[in-house]
């Protein structure tokens, strides 16, 4: 009985704390996102070096180097060796139940999920396959060796067909096998012949290699290493992928690579803006629903109140989100903010002086053309 009361109390605390936490997190993410480290600008300002300079022990600032790619193989536990890729991403799913709760009760869905939810219907299930990212021991452009540690990519990943892969002994011991005919995107770990609860599957994606490639970063001990810029890091930084690192390997010439980095940076910034606004919207929705939850259950009126909650939440999200982004832009771009403030002050001063002169000229005109003395209202 005490355990049930404790669970109910924890659930109530979570429900009341969760919405404000979403809103605060969204505001912090939107604020930091506007002043995030601009790795496109850092890459653009990097110094392009030639093949004769790659043997230098250390670079003072950021450098870029373009040349012929000499890809190294990537080794992975389940299928052995991959060739012709900059990195390999392995994602796994388990066929299981997922429960979502609402005011109308619990809703169950059976399907492929990236994680195993802890619920009564999944009791006894174990997810044995793991997600992972795999990289070569080193990257090489001409004679220039680049460390894979903290490497960043902006090129699009592509799904890899599993039909040409060879399973390792470890994969076979786990029960991994190829999918049915026509399904070349996954490897399966089946508990029985037909699809059953607890089955798992693996999918591979990779960044393909091109002949010409460009690196952006720094040289340390004659190798390409991550250049860490001085930024304030926090849990919010990790959440919005703002690490302050320039250590990018991009397919193509320097100009092509810079354009890809620019597009990726722009996409990332707008993605965080969108997710932040979405977080604010749902946060305000949850809070407003708490105040009008009685009305939401009434027929006809409930639908109207529900639409009102959505509309008010959207308005509040736009107001808070846009204000946060504008203030952050001004705070993080003082070279633009100061001239704007100076311009506003000068314009205000000019308009005020102009108003005083106009008023003085009007009084003088009235004094010259009036037959008698001016009344107090005209004097002022």
């Amino acid at each position: 009985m005490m355990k049930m009361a404790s669970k109910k109390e924890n659930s109530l605390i979570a429900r009341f704390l969760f919405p404000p936490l979403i809103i605060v997190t969204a505001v912090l993410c939107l604020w930091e996102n506007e002043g995030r480290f601009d790795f496109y600008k850092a890459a653009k300002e990097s110094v392009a070096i030639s093949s004769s300079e790659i043997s230098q022990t250390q670079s003072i600032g950021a450098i870029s180097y373009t040349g012929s790619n000499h890809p190294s193989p990537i080794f992975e536990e389940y299928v052995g060796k991959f060739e012709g890729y900059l990195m390999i991403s392995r994602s796994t799913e388990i066929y299981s139940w997922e429960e979502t709760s609402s005011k109308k009760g619990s809703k169950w869905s059976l399907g492929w999920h990236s994680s195993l939810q802890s619920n009564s219907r999944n009791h006894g299930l174990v997810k044995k396959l793991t997600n992972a990212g795999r990289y070569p021991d080193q990257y090489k452009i001409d004679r220039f060796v680049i460390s894979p540690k903290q490497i960043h990519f902006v090129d699009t990943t592509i799904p890899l067909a599993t039909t040409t892969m060879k399973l390792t002994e470890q994969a076979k011991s786990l029960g991994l096998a190829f999918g049915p005919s026509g399904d070349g995107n996954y490897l399966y770990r089946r508990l029985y012949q037909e699809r059953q609860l607890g089955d798992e599957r693996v999918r591979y994606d990779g960044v393909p290699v091109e002949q010409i490639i460009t690196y952006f970063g720094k040289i340390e001990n004659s190798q390409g290493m991550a250049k860490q810029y001085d930024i304030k890091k926090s849990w919010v930084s990790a959440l919005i992928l703002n690490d302050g690192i320039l250590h990018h390997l991009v397919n193509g010439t320097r100009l092509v690579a810079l354009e890809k980095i620019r597009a990726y940076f722009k996409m990332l910034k707008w993605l965080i803006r969108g997710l932040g606004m979405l977080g604010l919207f749902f946060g305000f929705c949850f809070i407003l629903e708490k105040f009008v939850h009685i009305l939401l259950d009434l027929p006809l009126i409930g639908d109207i109140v529900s639409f009102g909650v959505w509309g008010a939440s959207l308005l509040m999200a736009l107001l808070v989100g846009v204000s946060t982004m504008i203030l952050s832009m001004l705070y993080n771009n003082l070279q633009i903010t100061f001239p704007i403030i100076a311009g506003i002050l000068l314009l205000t001063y000019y308009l005020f002086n102009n108003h005083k002169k106009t008023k003085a000229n009007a009084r003088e005109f009235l004094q010259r053309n009036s037959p008698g003395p001016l009344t107090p209202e005209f004097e002022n």
Side-chain angles (χ1 to χ4, degrees), residues 114-128:
S114 58
S115 60
L116 182 62
Q117 189 184 73
S118 178
N119 59 55
S120 58
R121 295 192 184 184
N122 288 333
H123 180 69
L125 296 185
V126 178
K127 189 171 182 286
K128 292 190 175 182

Side-chain angles (χ1 to χ4, degrees), residues 351-361:
L351 292 173
F352 178 74
N353 273 355
N354 194 50
H355 175 70
K356 284 178 69 178
K357 286 180 182 178
T358 303
K359 198 172 179 182
N361 290 336

Side-chain angles (χ1 to χ4, degrees), residues 76-79 90-95 112-116 125-132 134 167-168 170-177 186-191 198-204:
E76 192 267 346
E77 301 94 308
Y78 302 154
V79 295
R90 182 180 75 213
S91 53
T92 60
E93 295 174 310
I94 184 167
Y95 197 68
W112 292 106
H113 300 111
S114 58
S115 60
L116 182 62
L125 296 185
V126 178
K127 189 171 182 286
K128 292 190 175 182
L129 304 182
T130 57
N131 300 330
R134 292 291 177 260
L167 298 178
T168 62
Q170 183 179 343
K172 291 174 184 177
S173 67
L174 285 167
L176 273 172
Y186 293 94
L187 297 173
Y188 290 87
R189 177 181 174 269
R190 296 199 186 282
L191 301 181
D199 285 356
E200 295 180 72
R201 66 182 185 181
V202 185
R203 172 194 171 100
Y204 291 95

Side-chain angles (χ1 to χ4, degrees), residues 93-377:
E93 295 174 310
I94 184 167
Y95 197 68
S96 57
W97 286 101
E98 194 159 278
E99 181 187 14
T100 52
S101 302
S102 66
K103 291 183 179 179
K104 296 178 181 179
S106 295
K107 184 180 178 182
W108 294 89
S109 61
L110 179 63
W112 292 106
H113 300 111
S114 58
S115 60
L116 182 62
Q117 189 184 73
S118 178
N119 59 55
S120 58
R121 295 192 184 184
N122 288 333
H123 180 69
L125 296 185
V126 178
K127 189 171 182 286
K128 292 190 175 182
L129 304 182
T130 57
N131 300 330
R134 292 291 177 260
Y135 305 86
D137 292 333
Q138 65 176 27
Y139 296 98
K140 202 172 182 183
I141 307 176
D142 296 332
R143 295 180 294 105
F144 187 31
V145 175
I146 296 155
S147 169
K149 190 178 178 181
Q150 296 180 301
I151 197 73
H152 289 51
F153 301 101
V154 298
D155 286 286
T156 307
T157 58
I158 60 170
L160 308 184
T162 58
T163 50
T164 57
M165 296 178 183
K166 291 183 180 180
L167 298 178
T168 62
E169 289 303 316
Q170 183 179 343
K172 291 174 184 177
S173 67
L174 285 167
L176 273 172
F178 296 102
S181 179
D183 185 355
N185 293 323
Y186 293 94
L187 297 173
Y188 290 87
R189 177 181 174 269
R190 296 199 186 282
L191 301 181
Y192 302 96
Q193 200 68 21
E194 298 297 322
R195 183 168 64 187
Q196 295 285 339
L197 189 68
D199 285 356
E200 295 180 72
R201 66 182 185 181
V202 185
R203 172 194 171 100
Y204 291 95
D205 296 276
V207 178
V209 165
E210 291 183 12
Q211 183 60 36
I212 302 300
I213 195 164
T214 301
Y215 169 71
F216 299 91
K218 72 171 183 179
I219 297 177
E220 188 175 305
N221 299 324
S222 302
Q223 279 193 359
M225 303 289 284
K227 180 169 176 58
Q228 177 67 65
Y229 285 78
D230 186 22
I231 67 164
K232 291 180 181 178
K233 288 187 181 182
S234 65
W235 61 272
V236 179
S237 309
L239 204 59
I240 66 170
L241 306 177
N242 183 30
D243 58 9
I245 288 174
L246 181 68
H247 189 45
H248 290 66
L249 203 53
V250 190
N251 284 318
T253 62
R254 178 181 162 92
L255 288 177
V256 171
L258 283 172
E259 181 54 31
K260 286 182 181 180
I261 293 174
R262 186 195 68 79
Y264 185 85
F265 178 76
K266 188 177 178 182
M267 179 277 294
L268 183 60
K269 204 162 185 178
W270 276 104
L271 177 65
I272 301 301
R273 285 169 178 167
L275 291 174
M277 295 298 287
L278 205 61
L280 286 173
F281 172 72
F282 282 116
F284 285 124
C285 263
F286 292 148
I287 287 176
L288 292 177
E289 280 181 354
K290 298 259 184 266
F291 289 102
V292 296
H293 69 280
I294 297 174
L295 297 175
L296 288 171
D297 296 329
L298 297 176
L300 296 176
I301 296 175
D303 291 336
I304 297 169
V305 172
S306 184
F307 279 115
V309 167
W310 293 345
S313 299
L314 181 61
L315 188 65
M316 292 168 74
L318 287 170
L319 184 65
V320 173
V322 172
S323 300
T324 300
M325 287 187 282
I326 290 173
L327 288 172
S328 180
M329 281 182 204
L330 294 173
Y331 176 80
N332 288 290
N333 296 278
L334 296 177
Q335 71 276 14
I336 299 172
T337 306
F338 285 141
I340 290 173
I341 294 172
I344 292 171
L345 290 173
L346 286 171
L347 182 62
T348 304
Y349 178 75
Y350 170 77
L351 292 173
F352 178 74
N353 273 355
N354 194 50
H355 175 70
K356 284 178 69 178
K357 286 180 182 178
T358 303
K359 198 172 179 182
N361 290 336
R363 191 189 303 115
E364 188 180 343
F365 175 79
L366 289 172
Q367 284 175 343
R368 279 202 312 266
N369 295 281
S370 176
L374 294 177
T375 58
E377 60 181 298

